[in-house]
Amino acid sequence: MTDIAKLKPGLLIVGAGGHGRSVAEAVLMADTYALVGFLDDGAFDEGAQVWGWPVLGAANDFETYKVHATHAIVAIGNNLLRQKICEQLRDSGFALASVVHPKAIVSPRALLGDGVAVMAGAIVGTEAQLGQGVIVNCGSVVDHHARVHNYGHLGVNACMAGGSVLGERAWMQAGSAIGYGVEVPDDQVLMPGTALG
């Protein structure tokens, strides 16, 4: 007999592109969810797959996918679109899963919201706070007491110093940095290599 308590919750990944595949790799390595498949609006033929997992259909009518999984994560870099889809998933009865790559370092005193993706090589420091739907991409740093508001996005190797704040839907592109206590407003985009001190 199967021990029901040992079964992992089924997980759908919304987005089958590069970020979706990175999240899928983290899911498979962390082994905390059972990957069921992907949803994507891209031009996928019927029967399309990613590494053997099916692309079940478009990212809409989420209620129809409840037979496949209880949990979902939105692996789309566009912050506004990620917010919209997260809200639709929640309204459809899905639990938003957070995924932490096993090669990331996350302080046990950090607070992570629902639907967060922390990728390989990222560091989330002590008492840092990540809101809902946040992306902390490969090699990024959210230092101690830094806060990333809902649907914020740190690109590859972006760096937030201690006590800094990234506003809702704000995006730090690759290699950008904000200094101690600096606050980035909602919806602002920092271009690659930008440094605010």
Side-chain angles (χ1 to χ4, degrees), residues 11 13 22-35 73 99 102:
L11 177 71
I13 297 176
S22 296
V23 169
E25 184 173 72
V27 168
L28 295 171
M29 291 179 71
D31 199 31
T32 51
Y33 293 97
L35 179 57
I73 185 168
V99 173

Side-chain angles (χ1 to χ4, degrees), residues 7 18 21 26 29 56 89 133 165 185 196:
L7 294 177
R21 291 165 194 238
M29 291 179 71
L56 297 168
L89 284 164
V165 178
L196 301 179

Side-chain angles (χ1 to χ4, degrees), residues 80-102:
L80 193 58
L81 182 57
R82 189 168 65 260
Q83 178 179 9
K84 177 183 173 185
I85 295 174
C86 281
E87 290 168 356
Q88 290 172 341
L89 284 164
R90 191 178 286 114
D91 290 346
S92 299
F94 280 92
L96 295 179
S98 289
V99 173
V100 177
H101 194 288

